[in-house]
Amino acid sequence: MWASLGIFFGLVLIAYLIGGAPTAMDIPALKGFNIQGGYNISPEFMSVLIGLTIYTSTYVAEVVRSGIQAVPNGQWEAAESLGLKRSIALRKIILPQSMRVAIPPLTNQYLNLTKNSSLAVAVGYPDLVSVSNTTMNQTGQAIEAISIYMAVYLGLSLTTSLFMNWFNKKMALVER
């Protein structure tokens, strides 16, 4: 647990430092007829964020639930007979076995998230889409602009797939 917390907070600290380590907080205030300062989140981005989060989390929760149910009940009973609490039995015995079953469908869900976010880019990031539309209109090079999007999503999909395949091999049973 301590290692995972250290990794999490270490990554947050690295992202903070890479982002320029902003130290000033800007509180929104009413100035004239408009609100100045603060951080503005577009309604499009918020709707895409909430929609993708809810949609994907339901499927991931179902995959994890089915992975836990795939572990035989005898494992729970064996943990109980050893005197383990249910939380410790879940963390040390049940989850490692369930991950072997759940990793392949989880890989599919992560790839689906990447593909669904490509559809949401047109809604949530109108600036990005308008830049490519302007490029296509002014230069007439639509194939190049679309190819850039395709290359980015191909890279994200391949990176996700490579990582999850590596993780699947790491979690697989080693037979002699």
Side-chain angles (χ1 to χ4, degrees):
M1 182 177 108
W2 292 109
S4 60
L5 284 175
I7 289 171
F8 174 74
F9 286 115
L11 289 175
V12 169
L13 179 66
I14 289 171
Y16 175 74
L17 294 175
I18 288 174
T23 55
M25 293 194 63
D26 192 16
I27 298 173
L30 183 62
K31 301 233 176 153
F33 292 110
N34 201 357
I35 295 177
Q36 305 255 328
Y39 185 72
N40 186 16
I41 298 176
S42 70
E44 295 89 1
F45 175 74
M46 190 55 80
S47 66
V48 165
L49 178 68
I50 291 172
L52 278 177
T53 301
I54 292 172
Y55 177 78
T56 304
S57 64
T58 56
Y59 283 100
V60 168
E62 184 63 23
V63 166
V64 171
R65 183 198 61 80
S66 65
I68 289 173
Q69 284 187 338
V71 177
N73 286 335
Q75 297 294 319
W76 284 104
E77 294 166 359
E80 262 182 47
S81 69
L82 290 173
L84 296 176
K85 295 180 187 175
R86 280 189 71 81
S87 61
I88 294 174
L90 180 67
R91 192 173 74 234
K92 299 278 187 180
I93 296 171
I94 304 301
L95 279 180
Q97 293 178 45
S98 70
M99 287 305 290
R100 292 185 180 109
V101 175
I103 288 174
L106 275 178
T107 302
N108 290 337
Q109 288 307 315
Y110 293 148
L111 292 173
N112 282 339
L113 174 63
T114 304
K115 289 187 283 186
N116 291 340
S117 70
S118 71
L119 296 173
V121 139
V123 176
Y125 298 109
D127 298 336
L128 184 65
V129 175
S130 65
V131 166
S132 65
N133 286 339
T134 303
T135 303
M136 287 187 273
N137 289 333
Q138 290 183 354
T139 63
Q141 297 176 336
I143 295 175
E144 288 82 357
I146 299 300
S147 296
I148 291 171
Y149 283 143
M150 288 173 47
V152 167
Y153 279 103
L154 176 66
L156 289 172
S157 294
L158 288 176
T159 303
T160 302
S161 181
L162 286 172
F163 174 75
M164 291 303 288
N165 284 335
W166 168 80
F167 189 60
N168 192 20
K169 285 180 184 172
K170 183 180 175 198
M171 293 297 291
L173 286 175
V174 178
E175 296 186 19
R176 297 173 203 207

